[in-house]
Amino acid sequence: MVEPATAHVTATPPAEPVDAADAYVAALLAQGVSHLFLNPGTDTFPVQEAIARRQALGLPAPTVVLCPFEVVALAAAHGFYAASGRPQAVLVHVDVGTQNLGAMLHNAQRGRAAVFISAGRAPYTTDPTIRGTRDTYIHWLQEQRDQHGIVRNYVKWEYEVRRPDQLGEAIARAFQVACSDPPGPVYLTLPREVLMAPDVGQQPQPNRFAPARLGAGDPAALERIADWLVQAERPLVLTSAVGRTSAGWNGLLQLADLLALPVIEWRSRANFPSTHPLHLGYNYGLETGLEEADLVLVLDHDVPYIPTRRHPHPDARVVALGLDPVNVTIPLWSFPVDLVVPCDTAQALPLLAEMVAERLRPADHERLAKRRAACAAQHAALRAQWEKDARAQANMQPIGVSWLGTCLEQLRQEHPDLIVVDEAVTSQVPLYCQMQVERPGSWFQSGGSGLGWGLGAALGVKLALPDRPVMALVGDGSFLFGAPEAMLWTASQVGAPVLVVICNNACYNATLQPLRAAYPTGFAVQTGQYPGITLTPPPDFAKLAEAAGAYGERVEDPAMLLPALRRGIERALSGQSAVLDVILARP
């Protein structure tokens, strides 16, 4: 965190002209940026000086969040956007800082996170009369033939500022593209000579660079879908991120209640109340009714099912709605669909509900009542089985994942405003079965597959929503990927304490599972030796947490799990991050 100006600093404006770096800061502020997630280098100091100048003079400036590793910076900006809908800024160091963003860039792309990423660019010049010219040996090493090629596959837009009078326009354009549907990350490079040139004082009006919105979609297509929904005998809803807004959550709830639609979700977001009798489980192993459905309604779902495991009946109608319903950035998206509607489902679903209501006749209500009752019975049976699974693990040591989920659910009930940032990987589905979601904006995943997101994202969510407790659920592998020392240190510096719960099964289970499935009688299974998979002996995560200023505790006894969770959340509520290393049964 940047310290406030001290008393001995005067408010006398500097004699020399203001650098163009100030235009960069002013442009961020004009776009509503409140936080700059920074990992600095020899090219970022003009921006740091511009912020220091603004602080000293009592001028507006974004809060600088110093992130000792770039993974934390981009994950935090992603988490902030997911929780608030407001894009934030990341600033890193030339090519090497850009490379260190790593898999978090993949997550921002797949998670449709509007994040403004900027990076320095090695100076162009060797003229000593030009400010910002090359003055150290790394300026030759850090110049690449195509620095933008590092990110081009993953961003919606990329550009290099070549003149100081371009800064405001380029940043306005970057945010316009980032926020246009479907949203996503953008990338801008900043040569040092440009940042240190005199500020020309030109700033475009942000409202003249409005983003493009999809709206409710094609009305004729929605009318057709309404007809199909009313006619369907065995409809099914599959969703992953319709709950990215409260309006999307409410729209799905309205439509499902109207038509008694069974809902199966993948919890990239909290999409539908899991206590609702129409909630029938989760994708990728627990979905039911897919093969029998005569209409499948896919809402904001990148991977609605795994075709090699199960798939809709060949005669079923499949309809896809969402910001990018055919996933144009996935080269082979192998899911047949009969009708596709690019739209904001938050707007489309209420309109679709109105169209359906107009079509329903008295004779339909008896049919819908029977479907509603059947769904409620199936929902109750699922919940009873999941509760039985958890009770069977109450005294199991090492701790069972379902029992961990039960204890986490008890903690959630005690803190109903708790936000969960989920990167539990192979522990996810058992945790879903135990942990309820009852309100939108209470559960977040990355939307991608790059591990290490959960820690930084929890930091970003906490900064966006400082009055709500935030808990990160991470695997032991994803905890290590997330640069925990860097994240926990940053959290303490900016006053954003979170609770971290590590699902520690001492292995990379995401690799173990496919190995066992592909080679059930192979040497690894027969010998019990899994090269490159086991994490034994595991690091002492509790001590690691303490070294970074957080509270750390290792939990092995299932009877002590809930008390430990309560201690952890109280630490976070009192201002100190907490890390609970929960030792789970090995797969």
Side-chain angles (χ1 to χ4, degrees):
M1 176 186 288
V2 173
E3 297 296 329
T6 52
H8 68 273
V9 176
T10 67
T12 303
E16 62 186 62
V18 177
D19 288 348
D22 190 76
Y24 170 88
V25 177
L28 295 184
L29 293 170
Q31 295 296 330
V33 170
S34 58
H35 291 75
L36 175 62
F37 296 93
L38 170 70
N39 186 275
T42 58
D43 51 321
T44 62
F45 67 80
V47 174
Q48 292 161 276
E49 169 62 19
I51 292 174
R53 169 186 171 275
R54 284 175 163 264
Q55 291 175 328
L57 298 178
L59 300 173
T63 297
V64 174
V65 181
L66 175 58
C67 301
F69 191 51
E70 290 87 347
V71 159
V72 176
L74 184 48
H78 184 165
F80 194 110
Y81 172 76
S84 68
R86 292 187 287 121
Q88 300 302 297
V90 174
L91 176 59
V92 297
H93 177 47
V94 294
D95 64 323
V96 290
T98 301
Q99 289 174 314
N100 275 349
L101 296 171
M104 299 310 103
L105 192 58
H106 158 93
N107 290 337
Q109 178 202 32
R110 295 301 181 210
R112 298 183 177 87
V115 179
F116 173 70
I117 305 166
S118 51
R121 194 252 186 235
Y124 286 108
T125 63
T126 56
D127 184 345
T129 66
I130 298 176
R131 298 183 72 214
T133 192
R134 296 185 179 190
D135 56 13
T136 185
Y137 80 101
I138 62 171
H139 289 154
W140 281 265
L141 304 182
Q142 290 172 342
E143 183 172 27
Q144 298 294 334
R145 289 174 292 178
D146 184 8
Q147 181 174 319
H148 290 229
I150 301 169
V151 304
R152 193 167 290 124
N153 238 1
Y154 301 92
V155 298
K156 293 181 65 180
W157 175 94
E158 39 87 14
Y159 190 71
E160 180 171 300
V161 176
R162 299 173 180 87
R163 296 164 48 97
D165 56 353
Q166 288 184 311
L167 272 165
E169 181 182 5
I171 291 173
R173 174 61 174 160
F175 276 83
Q176 181 184 46
V177 175
C179 295
S180 291
D181 289 336
V186 293
Y187 181 76
L188 183 71
T189 49
L190 306 165
R192 202 167 71 171
E193 295 97 329
V194 172
L195 289 176
M196 297 182 72
D199 182 8
V200 295
Q202 296 181 7
Q203 285 290 341
Q205 298 177 14
N207 61 347
R208 303 304 300 274
F209 285 78
R213 302 297 188 201
L214 286 175
D218 178 11
L222 294 179
E223 294 274 5
R224 191 176 179 191
I225 294 170
D227 288 335
W228 289 356
L229 282 168
V230 172
Q231 297 164 8
E233 294 293 334
R234 298 175 304 282
L236 183 68
V237 175
L238 302 177
T239 186
S240 174
V242 73
R244 67 183 182 277
T245 63
S246 296
W249 166 287
N250 293 332
L252 176 55
L253 186 57
Q254 178 186 7
L255 184 65
D257 276 335
L258 185 64
L259 280 168
L261 296 175
V263 176
I264 291 176
E265 67 168 337
W266 183 252
R267 207 182 276 179
S268 290
R269 294 289 187 273
N271 299 295
F272 193 77
S274 57
T275 53
H276 196 290
L278 291 172
H279 191 289
L280 294 190
Y282 304 97
N283 279 109
Y284 315 140
L286 291 180
E287 65 266 46
T288 57
L290 180 60
E291 291 91 342
E292 296 79 21
D294 59 358
L295 175 72
V296 180
L297 181 61
V298 179
L299 303 174
D300 287 305
H301 209 325
D302 295 338
V303 187
Y305 53 90
I306 308 297
T308 52
R309 297 182 187 174
R310 57 186 62 184
H311 50 77
H313 190 278
D315 296 332
R317 289 168 167 160
V318 180
V319 177
L321 286 76
L323 293 176
D324 183 12
V326 294
N327 291 280
V328 296
T329 63
I330 299 176
L332 285 178
W333 192 73
S334 308
F335 299 92
V337 290
D338 298 288
L339 187 55
V340 177
V341 183
C343 64
D344 177 1
T345 48
Q347 298 183 55
L349 291 174
L351 181 57
L352 191 56
E354 291 179 13
M355 295 174 176
V356 165
E358 293 172 354
R359 287 162 167 75
L360 288 176
R361 300 292 178 261
D364 295 316
H365 294 295
E366 182 178 354
R367 175 171 59 93
L368 296 181
K370 290 180 180 179
R371 186 157 73 211
R372 195 182 313 274
C375 288
Q378 189 175 354
H379 171 87
L382 286 172
R383 297 237 54 93
Q385 181 59 54
W386 296 340
E387 291 170 9
K388 180 181 178 181
D389 294 342
R391 288 195 301 271
Q393 297 179 359
N395 299 308
M396 192 172 88
Q397 193 169 347
I399 295 168
V401 180
S402 294
W403 181 249
L404 169 60
T406 292
C407 294
L408 288 168
E409 170 58 16
Q410 179 63 40
L411 187 74
R412 187 201 67 83
Q413 292 180 18
E414 296 170 5
H415 300 274
D417 58 345
L418 179 68
I419 297 174
V420 177
V421 176
D422 170 23
E423 197 178 37
V425 199
T426 56
S427 297
Q428 284 171 324
V429 172
L431 293 178
Y432 295 167
C433 294
Q434 307 303 325
M435 297 184 69
Q436 308 299 329
V437 294
E438 297 177 314
R439 57 190 287 193
S442 59
W443 197 282
F444 296 95
Q445 283 184 15
S446 71
S449 64
L451 294 185
W453 179 85
L455 296 182
L459 167 67
V461 171
K462 182 64 178 178
L463 288 171
L465 301 171
D467 296 330
R468 293 183 62 180
V470 176
M471 175 173 65
L473 293 178
V474 298
D476 44 346
S478 48
F479 181 78
L480 291 170
F481 272 109
E485 313 96 310
M487 175 270 173
L488 292 169
W489 180 88
T490 299
S492 69
Q493 295 300 301
V494 297
V498 301
L499 170 62
V500 179
V501 177
I502 304 174
C503 304
N504 189 347
N505 56 20
C507 73
Y508 288 117
N509 196 28
T511 302
L512 179 63
Q513 287 181 348
L515 188 155
R516 284 175 169 170
Y519 299 98
T521 60
F523 286 96
V525 172
Q526 291 187 41
T527 63
Q529 300 298 312
Y530 297 95
I533 290 177
T534 56
L535 292 168
T536 53
D540 191 330
F541 294 130
K543 286 185 178 178
L544 186 154
E546 292 170 0
Y551 171 76
E553 183 175 346
R554 179 183 173 97
V555 188
E556 300 182 73
D557 185 344
M560 295 294 103
L561 180 53
L562 183 55
L565 289 169
R566 287 169 172 157
R567 285 191 292 273
I569 197 70
E570 288 306 318
R571 290 277 186 160
L573 291 172
S574 67
Q576 181 187 26
S577 292
V579 175
L580 298 184
D581 182 12
V582 180
I583 307 304
L584 298 179
R586 291 187 59 182

